[in-house]
Amino acid sequence: MSVATANRLTPYLFLAPALVILLGALVYPIIYVIYASFLDWNPSQRIGEASFVGLRNYAKLLSDAAFLESLRVTLAFAAIVVSVEMVLGVGLALLLDRNMKGLTVLRTVFILPMMIAPIVVGLMWRYMYHPTIGIFNRTLNSLGLEPVPWLSDSSWAFAAVIIADVWQWTPFIFILSLAALQSLPKSALEAARIDGARGWQAILYIKLPLMLPVLIVTMLLRLIDAFKVLEVILVMTNGGPGLSTEILSLRINRTASEFRALGEAAAMSNILLLVLMALTLAMFLYTKASEARSRRLAAAQEPAT
Amino acid sequence: MPDIRIENLRKAYGDVAVIEDLNLCMADGEFTVLVGPSGCGKSTTLRMIAGLESCTGGAILIGGRDVTRLEPRERDLAMVFQDYALYPHMNVAKNMSFALRLARYPKAEIDRRVREVAETLDLTAYLARKPAELSGGQRQRVAMGRALVRDAGTFLFDEPLSNLDAKLRGHMRAELALMSRRIRKNMIYVTHDQVEAMTLGDRIVVMRHGKIMQAGPPAELYRKPANRFVAGFIGSPTMNFLKGELVEEDGRLRVDGAGFSIPLPAERAARLQGSARRAVEVGIRPSGFTPADGPDALQLPVILAEYLGTQSIVMSEMGGARVTIELMGSEPIATGGTRMFRIEDKDVHLFDIETEQAL
Ligand SMILES: Nc1ncnc2c1ncn2[C@@H]1O[C@H](COP(=O)(O)OP(=O)(O)O)[C@@H](O)[C@H]1O
Ligand SMILES: [Mg+2]
């Protein structure tokens, strides 16, 4: 081997350990799960003892009412929380994007929920939703109102987990929107004021369109996260009552540990994985497209004068 | 078209006063240029007139109406920003029509105006392009177009040409002068470039450290600078400043300095009565040196000559101080050797050493 070839290979040599770890930690489990989804496998068996059933796990899922319900709950949950969080987060950012005393403190307070461990958030909300000693029902009680069955009624429970998620993740959208707002071209906003735009017109016609690329990526990131949510709901309702809050990750967990159907659980995981990959791909394509666009624009302005 | 009055205008950021007690009156349809070195408060003044910056004190009146506390949109003005401030997500037509669309003009009227302005600014071919797809000069014209389409009572410009290259800047300066003559609106134009100020302004306001040093027509500022700062700021090449002394002899006043002695005429002497033996700063424009022969002519060395075609800029020396001399004529001047000059008393500006005021 010549020195030149050796030189060319050196970087790859340095990258090799990382690549091995990546293969071991990422690719191996994925292949494992894909393989497992073709098996009829229960936890008392070693994987080698499980019988191969082909696509039967997937076929079964498509006609499994509980799984379909869980998929529906997950989609509804993700759609609702992300919509609400987007509106609240962007709204708050628009409201707090100004230089006022005390705002720095306020902004810091706003992002605290995001930094709390999900398990803790779940526990906290469970106590607050407690039917008798929770702060909500105590408050309602002291106002002379009927208590609300926060976690024991299926509609209320669904609302309750949405509220908790909105509380925890609105700050994420808030800080990203705020950062986007503060990087907007100041003079274009001033030009809009001179051109006669009122506050809301500047928001509608200038700020939001200019923030759009960041908002789209933020929304996709949040969607990906909302599909994977687990701990908070696990602690608060464990999927109940009934199947009302049983989002996919809980269903997967239950299928594996309670129903002892590892193959089916693996198939579900793969379906979730497909959804997430579609979202990630959408985000990737969007970023690529907007990068290509700005490159094209940059190229277009070079020659002419 | 209203006149604009600024009364005792003040601006402070925290404890730092940026504009102090500014008073200014701009007549109807006048092209006013605010000029001064960077950081003197020109933009701040303009932005307070625009309503983009709050006033710490004082009042701004447009057409007799107190607009000090009004929003920009209530002041009937258009503005061109230094960085053009185009809306990046809108194409040229949308950029230009934004104000009209907000004001709910009929679509046909909007189209007509945009097309008309685009025509005069040579932008018709670019109406569908976004700002990022335009060159600097084109963007600059879009910014101008956006202001023109408005047909506002007052136009504000904050260094609109400073991001262009020299050639384009000269071209746009001429276009702007033509345009201002045509539309005859109130124009307030901020620049740090005295050439722009001289060529564009009906009236020039020279600012320094947030104060007005002098305001007046270009020729007045050039011929009768009120103080040393204005004298040094207006005119290119810059005025020469030399140390001098007023001397009275046989009832006649003259100014003496290292290497020169210039008699002053009687009417000037009358104004300077009793100032004899007083140290002054003597200002002489490069064009104030006239080639001359004779016994009382000054003999000055040609240290360096820059040939510019119709004139040459000569670097010379007078009593140990560097002086710049502007010589008209298309004949190149050889570096080295000496030349004879005379300084007319009308070309001599005198300034108080302490107050820097013209004497
Ligand atoms: N937001 C601000 N906070 C503090 N000081 C400022 C601010 N904006 C401008 N200044 C100061 O005000 C002075 C005048 O600024 P400006 O009007 O922009 O000057 P210019 O004449 O170059 O346009 C400068 O010294 C600048 O540092
Ligand atoms: Mg400025």
Side-chain angles (χ1 to χ4, degrees):
Chain A
M1 193 166 68
S2 74
V3 178
T5 328
N7 272 346
R8 215 152 17 83
L9 289 180
T10 314
Y12 299 99
L13 227 65
F14 280 111
L15 282 176
L19 191 68
V20 169
I21 291 170
L22 202 68
L23 280 176
L26 211 66
V27 179
Y28 174 72
I30 289 178
I31 291 174
Y32 195 90
V33 172
I34 292 174
Y35 175 62
S37 71
F38 298 128
L39 302 177
D40 179 11
W41 180 24
N42 79 60
S44 59
Q45 294 170 307
R46 289 214 313 266
I47 193 164
E49 299 163 355
S51 52
F52 189 84
V53 294
L55 288 171
R56 207 175 65 201
N57 285 329
Y58 291 95
K60 197 174 153 208
L61 282 182
L62 292 183
S63 55
D64 177 357
F67 168 75
L68 292 178
E69 173 63 11
S70 169
L71 192 62
R72 193 194 65 76
V73 168
T74 308
L75 289 174
F77 175 82
I80 294 174
V81 294
V82 173
S83 313
V84 174
E85 285 161 14
M86 287 301 290
V87 172
L88 287 182
V90 175
L92 272 178
L94 287 169
L95 218 61
L96 296 186
D97 174 35
R98 56 194 69 193
N99 291 320
M100 251 161 58
K101 277 212 190 85
L103 267 184
T104 335
V105 180
L106 207 59
R107 280 181 208 152
T108 318
V109 171
F110 266 126
I111 62 173
L112 278 180
M114 210 174 70
M115 310 194 190
I116 305 174
I119 293 279
V120 178
V121 171
L123 282 172
M124 206 174 76
W125 281 92
R126 201 170 91 185
Y127 291 133
M128 291 200 290
Y129 283 136
H130 193 280
T132 51
I133 59 163
I135 181 144
F136 295 130
N137 277 358
R138 274 213 325 251
T139 310
L140 288 174
N141 194 20
S142 66
L143 292 173
L145 298 170
E146 284 290 301
V148 167
W150 289 111
L151 300 177
S152 50
D153 172 88
S154 44
S155 308
W156 279 112
F158 188 62
V161 294
I162 284 175
I163 291 172
D165 193 90
V166 167
W167 178 83
Q168 190 180 15
W169 289 110
T170 298
F172 175 74
I173 291 168
F174 167 70
I175 37 173
L176 289 187
S177 307
L178 195 62
L181 267 174
Q182 292 181 338
S183 66
L184 291 188
K186 284 233 161 30
S187 57
L189 290 167
E190 291 180 339
R193 283 179 70 194
I194 300 259
D195 270 349
R198 289 158 195 276
W200 66 269
Q201 290 170 320
I203 289 175
L204 199 61
Y205 300 131
I206 312 286
K207 289 185 187 175
L208 286 179
L210 289 180
M211 287 165 76
L212 199 61
V214 175
L215 293 186
I216 288 177
V217 172
T218 308
M219 189 186 73
L220 287 169
L221 279 174
R222 253 323 279 149
L223 262 181
I224 291 170
D225 236 31
F227 274 105
K228 296 191 304 185
V229 67
L230 171 70
E231 299 98 322
V232 177
I233 300 183
L234 178 78
V235 173
M236 278 175 65
T237 65
N238 195 16
L243 294 180
S244 59
T245 58
E246 188 162 283
I247 37 89
L248 265 184
S249 33
L250 271 177
R251 180 85 201 158
I252 294 167
N253 181 28
R254 237 174 122 201
T255 309
S257 56
E258 205 173 304
F259 309 148
R260 303 170 63 80
L262 293 184
E264 249 176 76
M268 281 185 205
S269 302
N270 289 335
I271 289 174
L272 183 58
L273 189 65
L274 275 180
V275 173
L276 294 179
M277 264 166 55
L279 283 173
T280 313
L281 194 68
M283 191 168 82
F284 180 74
L285 289 180
Y286 177 79
T287 342
K288 266 271 183 277
S290 44
E291 267 170 19
R293 191 164 151 273
S294 47
R295 248 202 318 277
R296 191 166 51 77
L297 292 184
Q301 80 184 68
E302 296 286 322
T305 293
Chain B
M1 283 179 291
D3 59 321
I4 299 175
R5 289 158 56 86
I6 294 174
E7 294 171 352
N8 306 321
L9 193 67
R10 287 195 305 114
K11 177 73 184 178
Y13 290 107
D15 295 336
V16 186
V18 177
I19 304 292
E20 293 172 61
D21 222 18
L22 199 89
N23 284 287
L24 198 58
C25 216
M26 296 166 228
D28 194 359
E30 198 173 43
F31 199 125
T32 308
V33 178
L34 302 183
V35 66
S38 179
C40 72
K42 311 176 295 282
S43 295
T44 308
T45 307
L46 193 76
R47 291 166 54 81
M48 283 196 284
I49 297 172
L52 294 172
E53 208 79 63
S54 65
C55 306
T56 311
I60 298 167
L61 292 96
I62 301 182
R65 190 170 64 121
D66 187 344
V67 300
T68 319
R69 309 243 172 283
L70 296 187
E71 279 290 306
R73 72 180 128 81
E74 296 164 308
R75 302 185 183 203
D76 185 32
L77 30 85
M79 182 161 169
V80 179
F81 292 79
Q82 179 169 11
D83 62 356
Y84 314 144
L86 300 179
Y87 310 123
H89 58 299
M90 297 184 196
N91 65 27
V92 171
K94 287 255 153 46
N95 258 286
M96 296 212 292
S97 62
F98 186 61
L100 300 181
R101 285 184 285 134
L102 285 178
R104 305 202 174 285
Y105 274 65
K107 197 169 175 319
E109 167 79 1
I110 295 178
D111 281 351
R112 188 184 62 74
R113 284 214 209 170
V114 168
R115 222 157 330 122
E116 204 176 286
V117 171
E119 197 70 44
T120 60
L121 289 172
D122 229 355
L123 284 171
T124 313
Y126 306 105
L127 282 176
R129 288 216 200 161
K130 296 251 175 91
E133 297 167 302
L134 299 174
S135 71
Q138 289 163 344
R139 277 182 230 178
Q140 209 281 332
R141 296 209 299 275
V142 176
M144 291 275 186
R146 188 171 62 181
L148 283 176
V149 163
R150 297 269 312 276
D151 199 29
T154 305
F155 285 80
L156 308 178
F157 299 88
D158 191 353
E159 312 219 8
L161 306 183
S162 62
N163 285 348
L164 301 178
D165 61 63
K167 200 172 153 207
L168 203 53
R169 189 156 60 227
H171 173 73
M172 283 309 292
R173 196 171 64 210
E175 290 288 321
L176 200 64
L178 280 177
M179 184 195 82
S180 77
R181 235 121 280 158
R182 200 173 61 239
I183 63 172
R184 272 290 142 197
K185 299 266 187 175
N186 287 332
M187 308 246 177
I188 307 178
Y189 188 102
V190 161
T191 180
H192 65 266
D193 178 358
Q194 61 93 20
V195 178
E196 260 173 46
M198 294 293 275
T199 49
L200 287 171
D202 295 324
R203 221 152 64 94
I204 298 179
V205 178
V206 182
M207 292 179 64
R208 180 199 198 185
H209 299 327
K211 296 201 189 84
I212 295 180
M213 301 309 283
Q214 189 176 2
E220 183 182 313
L221 263 61
Y222 184 80
R223 293 203 203 107
K224 291 195 189 116
N227 47 57
R228 189 190 183 284
F229 179 78
V230 173
F233 195 81
I234 299 289
S236 168
T238 312
M239 186 184 273
N240 299 297
F241 291 101
L242 303 159
K243 296 267 169 273
E245 194 181 27
L246 288 175
V247 180
E248 197 173 353
E249 212 176 66
D250 309 333
R252 290 184 50 121
L253 202 62
R254 59 167 212 273
V255 57
D256 281 358
F260 65 93
S261 172
I262 306 160
L264 296 175
E267 76 268 16
R268 217 162 162 193
R271 260 192 294 134
L272 295 167
Q273 195 92 93
S275 305
R277 286 277 144 216
R278 172 174 171 184
V280 290
E281 189 127 32
V282 182
I284 305 164
R285 293 212 182 272
S287 55
F289 294 82
T290 355
D293 292 319
D296 51 350
L298 295 162
Q299 188 173 20
L300 300 177
V302 177
I303 298 171
L304 188 73
E306 290 176 327
Y307 176 65
L308 297 178
T310 53
Q311 83 257 50
S312 297
I313 309 297
V314 174
M315 192 202 282
S316 182
E317 196 175 50
M318 232 166 116
R322 278 278 146 83
V323 292
T324 311
I325 299 170
E326 189 178 31
L327 276 179
M328 300 313 290
S330 55
E331 241 352 87
I333 289 167
T335 297
T338 60
R339 292 216 155 205
M340 305 295 281
F341 295 99
R342 189 166 40 109
I343 302 168
E344 304 276 354
D345 60 62
K346 69 172 171 51
D347 289 321
V348 174
H349 301 265
L350 299 176
F351 302 99
D352 190 291
I353 295 261
E354 240 112 71
T355 65
E356 299 198 344
Q357 294 302 309
L359 294 172

